[in-house]
Amino acid sequence: MTRRIRYFSFFVIAILAVIVGVSAPSRAQQEDIVWVQIEAHPSQRVALERAQIYAQDLADVNAFSLGGSWSGILLGPYLRSDAEQVLRVYRAEGQIPRDSYIVRSRALGRQFYPPNVDLLNRGAPAQPPVSDPATPQPQISQAAPEPVIDETPNEARRSERLLTAQERRDLQIALRWGGYYNAAIDGAYGPGTRRSMAAWQSDNGYDQTGILTTRQRQELMDQYNAPLISAGMRLHRDTRAGIEIELPLAAVRQGRYDAPFVHFEATGAVPGAKVLLISQDGTQDTLFGLYEIMQTLEIVPFDGARERGNDSFVLEGRDRSTVSHTEVSLANGALKGFTLVWPTGDEERRQRVLTAMQETFQRTPGALDLALTDTAQQDLDLISGLRVRKPRLSRTGFYIDRSGSVMTTVAAVQGCTRVTLDTDYPAQVAASDDTLGLAVLRPSTSLVPLEYAGFAADDPRLRSEIAVAGYSFEGVLGAPTLTFGTLADLKGLRGEPDMQRLALTPLPGDAGGPVLDSAGRVVGMLLSAPTGAQQLPQNVSL
């Protein structure tokens, strides 16, 4: 992130000058103490390093535990009006990320930066947080923190009785998440729940009464919700798409419309994060078509569950760097849903974010017009602004029986972890012969080709015309290309009887294609060009 020394225009200084000299906040103001959260990290070491970097340029830099393994970097504490001013000025200067936002003290755990400082439960400083560095600032003494008055066990038990059934279950869920509770989530606080509460109290520096006070219950829930807080979960309404949903707006920011998608790109707080809102009018056929299209996109890795019903589908995909989840449903003539893409290694937070999105997803009136697009970029490898997955290698093959078995060249499948026919149909290598350079592929699900190869019974005549049918441009064209030549010899260059030499200039994508005589019969298969130090002349093929 680019850093620069702070400077302020006269206009900003004039506004901030009004704040200088404000008296200590009243009790009502103290209840509105807030912080500006600028970053969150799953590593306390990284958060500490980042806080020290920010402190070189900014005042009021602090770092707190956010619950679980997460740590946050925050500016403050401020009164809300001051925090809003900090947010405006520092965002405009580029001193803090654009997705920084305001949080309350109750969202924070223990402070670990600056060292030996504990600002929780103290009032906001009377001095403004942002000021002209050239102006001397008065020294304001920090009042001693007021003692925290907590509930007695009897008072805690009475306040516990006021909890709703869902609130009681939520506490058990939070205790289970923290590893303290492993029984049923029933809202009944028996001996098991009490023991888990006492264990939590012990780990968090409280007396082990087994009855959580109001303050302790809030702290437990803040710890539980820390992954959502760090992701910046907030309600988002899109009237164009007709969708209302909570989104991780610290991790992604809204980008362009490219129907049927609303794109939310990564802010950098969670590298590789992405969200799509999906919305369009359609029928069951549209739903089934979208199901197939989504699986061709790079954002949906190959490995993962696939489930399609009559009116909905769910796609999951995982690879070494990415976890992707898509769900779409059809109702009242409209397809609506979302995709969440998240980096691997952050599974706990991803699951919490995904659950929150699922629980808050709501349909509202409207759907995206398929003509709606905010981008001028056009590319055959893009679908609505999303890149289509490209194979590492594309070669030609041809059907050899009515069940869809395909013959191709060994070089086309060597070292491949996944082989597909026509990009959509997975296949396995059923047989191969390295000496002949042939491989036979069998589709995972039986295919029924319109035609399959008819082989000639005899060798073609020497110097007769032949042609190779192949995907010369590796799939750019939707149909094979014919490359014409002649049969130069009935044996290979070293006299191999199973090879024939062709006077032909194919392209690499043609390898594996059928060699046809003038009657359209298959007389052989084009081998891949040899690699290495020895290269054949341009018009020599085998």
Side-chain angles (χ1 to χ4, degrees), residues 20 24 38 70 81 112 144 153 180 204 230 239 245 257 261 378 400 421 455:
V20 175
I38 56 179
W70 283 88
S81 58
F112 59 88
Y180 299 99
N204 287 272
S230 67
T239 56
I245 187 174
Y257 286 90
F261 305 123
Q378 299 186 64
I400 57 174
L421 306 177
F455 291 89

Side-chain angles (χ1 to χ4, degrees), residues 5 26 46 49 56 64 82 110 116 121 152 186 226 283 286 339 356 359 448 461 469 471 490 502-503 510 526 532:
I5 303 302
S26 67
V46 173
E49 293 173 354
Q56 295 174 12
F64 292 88
D82 294 345
R110 287 185 172 82
N116 303 317
N121 301 309
T152 66
D186 53 11
T283 63
T286 314
T339 296
E359 291 177 347
V448 184
R461 293 181 62 82
Y471 288 88
L490 294 175
L502 308 177
D510 291 312
L526 183 69

Side-chain angles (χ1 to χ4, degrees), residues 32-339:
D32 198 29
I33 298 302
V34 295
W35 308 73
V36 176
Q37 181 166 321
I38 56 179
E39 285 188 12
H41 298 276
S43 165
Q44 181 172 312
R45 179 185 59 80
V46 173
L48 178 60
E49 293 173 354
R50 296 290 294 158
Q52 292 169 337
I53 293 173
Y54 275 110
Q56 295 174 12
D57 294 331
L58 304 179
D60 308 319
V61 177
N62 305 279
F64 292 88
S65 166
L66 298 179
S69 62
W70 283 88
S71 301
I73 304 170
L74 300 100
L75 307 179
Y78 306 136
L79 297 178
R80 178 168 288 274
S81 58
D82 294 345
E84 291 171 350
Q85 178 73 353
V86 167
L87 211 54
R88 284 193 297 270
V89 173
Y90 282 167
R91 275 177 174 172
E93 288 192 327
Q95 298 262 35
I96 61 176
R98 297 289 301 172
D99 57 351
S100 301
Y101 58 98
I102 293 174
V103 299
R104 293 182 179 276
S105 297
R106 65 187 184 190
L108 310 179
R110 287 185 172 82
Q111 183 172 6
F112 59 88
Y113 181 84
N116 303 317
V117 173
D118 180 9
L119 294 178
L120 289 177
N121 301 309
R122 297 182 182 182
Q127 187 173 339
V130 183
S131 58
D132 184 351
T135 303
Q137 301 299 322
Q139 299 296 316
I140 299 178
S141 60
Q142 189 80 324
E146 296 181 2
V148 177
I149 301 176
D150 211 352
E151 297 169 333
T152 66
N154 286 336
E155 291 171 334
R157 194 180 293 274
R158 283 197 295 270
S159 67
E160 187 180 80
R161 295 193 191 104
L162 300 177
L163 297 176
T164 66
Q166 186 57 53
E167 288 171 335
R168 296 171 70 89
R169 289 191 292 271
D170 288 344
L171 287 169
Q172 287 179 322
I173 292 172
L175 288 166
R176 183 170 65 182
W177 166 82
Y180 299 99
Y181 182 70
N182 59 5
I185 305 298
D186 53 11
Y189 290 176
T193 303
R194 294 301 178 193
R195 283 194 296 271
S196 70
M197 289 180 174
W200 181 88
Q201 288 172 322
S202 175
D203 286 351
N204 287 272
Y206 296 110
D207 293 338
Q208 300 177 52
T209 65
I211 307 166
L212 299 182
T213 66
T214 300
R215 181 170 180 265
Q216 291 168 4
R217 291 194 295 269
Q218 184 61 58
E219 184 175 338
L220 170 61
M221 293 308 298
D222 286 344
Q223 291 176 1
Y224 173 65
N225 289 319
L228 299 181
I229 294 171
S230 67
M233 294 301 293
R234 295 194 293 279
L235 190 66
H236 176 83
R237 297 181 181 88
D238 192 308
T239 56
R240 284 172 135 181
I243 291 175
E244 179 179 291
I245 187 174
E246 282 192 6
L247 295 178
L249 294 178
V252 297
R253 66 169 64 90
Q254 184 168 345
R256 65 191 184 279
Y257 286 90
D258 212 332
F261 305 123
V262 185
H263 294 255
F264 289 77
E265 305 296 345
T267 63
V270 180
K274 183 179 182 67
V275 169
L276 298 175
L277 298 185
I278 303 171
S279 171
Q280 71 173 102
D281 292 323
T283 63
Q284 187 184 70
D285 289 341
T286 314
L287 178 77
F288 290 177
L290 182 61
Y291 174 76
E292 298 296 338
I293 289 172
M294 292 296 297
Q295 295 180 75
T296 69
L297 302 178
E298 286 186 349
I299 64 167
V300 182
F302 279 121
D303 295 331
R306 306 285 193 268
E307 181 180 346
R308 192 196 74 181
N310 290 329
D311 57 3
S312 65
F313 69 78
V314 176
L315 294 172
E316 290 192 354
R318 292 176 180 267
D319 59 22
R320 288 178 295 179
S321 62
T322 299
V323 184
S324 172
H325 179 97
T326 299
E327 52 185 72
V328 178
S329 61
L330 171 64
N332 301 320
L335 281 64
K336 294 187 181 182
F338 65 85
T339 296

